[in-house]
Amino acid sequence: MFIFRIYPYLLFFWTLILTPDALSKESVEVYIYFDKPPFVVDQEQRVGLSYDLIDCLNEFSNLYSYSLVYLPKKRALNQVVNKGVLLWINPLWLGDAEKINYNWIENLIFDRELYLSNDPNLSYNGPASFFGKIFVGVRGYTYLDLEENFNPNEILRVDVNKEVLIPTMLLKNRADVGVIGYQTYSYLQRAIPEISTKLSILNGYSYEFTRSILFSKYQPHVKKDFQNWFDSTDGSIIWSRLKEKWLVNK
């Protein structure tokens, strides 16, 4: 008799835990391979555009639990061959202009490269403009326009671990010119006024691009979840607010 009395409660309990809302979400790692504002401001405190985006997606999704993971570029690319997501990259950088190797949500963020210098008289008229100069870049990054000229007899290259250190190297006169992203420069100049007053953006160079999100071909459902958020009314409004908070327009 006791068993029959508790049976309805057991049935209710199992029905509750088996409902879709109660089922645990599938974990998906979202990778980023650069540690620079405004995309990543503070890893420990989870501050930056990328963290805000992940938090919004987690609140939206009934299927997945997303976590942001920083990895060096090669390791991040190795991971997303089979599964996962990679933030703020461009198909051209991976030779995937036809979108054959990966799935993409494209053209989410406008950005461009800037040549920054502590010499107000320096201008860019091709790589020869930097002959005899010290160029500061990020270790592991490729600078296509200059790569073949990096040698002690033409352009001496020195590297730092993070892009945010490039203005510091220039302000301390440890280099003559460096390259920095427009969005990162705009964020840093608000935090470090000397960047605006003591450093110059060189005229004569323009490389504009957009940042997109890469998805493994083997997880099309994850891309669909992201796309559903961007396409939703709330997601569209929130994404606009995130861009206003963290980014600058052209």
Side-chain angles (χ1 to χ4, degrees):
M1 192 69 178
F2 175 74
I3 294 176
F4 289 102
R5 286 178 179 174
I6 67 169
Y7 177 77
Y9 299 100
L10 288 172
L11 182 61
F12 173 78
F13 173 76
W14 286 110
T15 301
L16 177 64
I17 66 172
L18 290 174
T19 56
D21 289 339
L23 289 172
S24 60
K25 297 180 180 181
E26 180 182 343
S27 296
V28 175
E29 292 188 331
V30 179
Y31 302 105
I32 189 166
Y33 66 74
F34 47 78
D35 179 7
K36 64 177 183 178
F39 310 102
V40 173
V41 176
D42 189 316
Q43 289 191 44
E44 291 186 3
Q45 300 298 321
R46 300 186 73 256
V47 178
L49 170 62
S50 304
Y51 293 106
D52 284 358
L53 175 65
I54 294 303
D55 289 345
C56 292
L57 285 162
N58 279 328
E59 186 173 344
F60 168 81
S61 181
N62 294 319
L63 301 174
Y64 304 106
S65 175
Y66 298 108
S67 57
L68 187 69
V69 179
Y70 168 79
L71 286 179
K73 183 177 181 179
K74 288 184 178 180
R75 287 180 59 193
L77 292 174
N78 287 337
Q79 291 290 341
V80 295
V81 169
N82 295 315
K83 61 180 181 179
V85 183
L86 184 59
L87 294 182
W88 317 137
I89 194 167
N90 187 291
L92 295 177
W93 302 345
L94 301 183
D96 197 31
E98 303 300 323
K99 292 82 178 176
I100 295 172
N101 299 321
Y102 304 98
N103 291 326
W104 297 88
I105 296 178
E106 291 189 272
N107 305 329
L108 293 171
I109 296 173
F110 166 81
D111 212 341
R112 59 184 286 231
E113 277 188 356
L114 304 175
Y115 283 145
L116 198 62
S117 179
N118 49 21
D119 182 353
N121 298 315
L122 185 64
S123 61
Y124 181 75
N125 297 296
S129 302
F130 299 155
F131 284 8
K133 305 291 185 182
I134 300 175
F135 177 94
V136 57
V138 180
R139 186 170 291 108
Y141 281 27
T142 299
Y143 303 102
L144 295 177
D145 287 352
L146 304 176
E147 205 66 31
E148 65 183 19
N149 303 110
F150 288 140
N151 61 70
N153 296 322
E154 293 181 349
I155 305 172
L156 179 61
R157 174 173 173 173
V158 296
D159 286 327
V160 291
N161 292 326
K162 297 181 180 180
E163 194 169 302
V164 294
L165 298 176
I166 288 174
T168 302
M169 291 284 286
L170 297 172
L171 289 169
K172 292 182 177 180
N173 294 315
R174 294 179 180 174
D176 302 304
V177 65
V179 63
I180 191 169
Y182 171 65
Q183 297 291 351
T184 299
Y185 171 82
S186 299
Y187 181 92
L188 290 177
Q189 71 175 162
R190 296 192 295 270
I192 309 172
E194 286 180 303
I195 290 177
S196 297
T197 59
K198 295 186 178 180
L199 301 179
S200 303
I201 297 172
L202 301 190
N203 294 321
Y205 176 75
S206 179
Y207 170 49
E208 297 183 352
F209 57 91
T210 57
R211 295 186 181 274
S212 305
I213 300 178
L214 175 158
F215 300 84
S216 168
K217 280 280 190 179
Y218 296 98
Q219 291 182 309
H221 44 287
V222 174
K223 179 198 169 181
K224 181 174 175 57
D225 199 47
F226 269 66
Q227 192 69 67
N228 286 344
W229 180 78
F230 280 109
D231 290 343
S232 69
T233 300
D234 287 347
S236 178
I237 293 171
I238 293 170
W239 176 237
S240 293
R241 290 174 178 171
L242 290 181
K243 289 192 292 184
E244 289 177 3
K245 175 182 178 182
W246 292 109
L247 304 173
V248 290
N249 296 317
K250 286 187 179 183

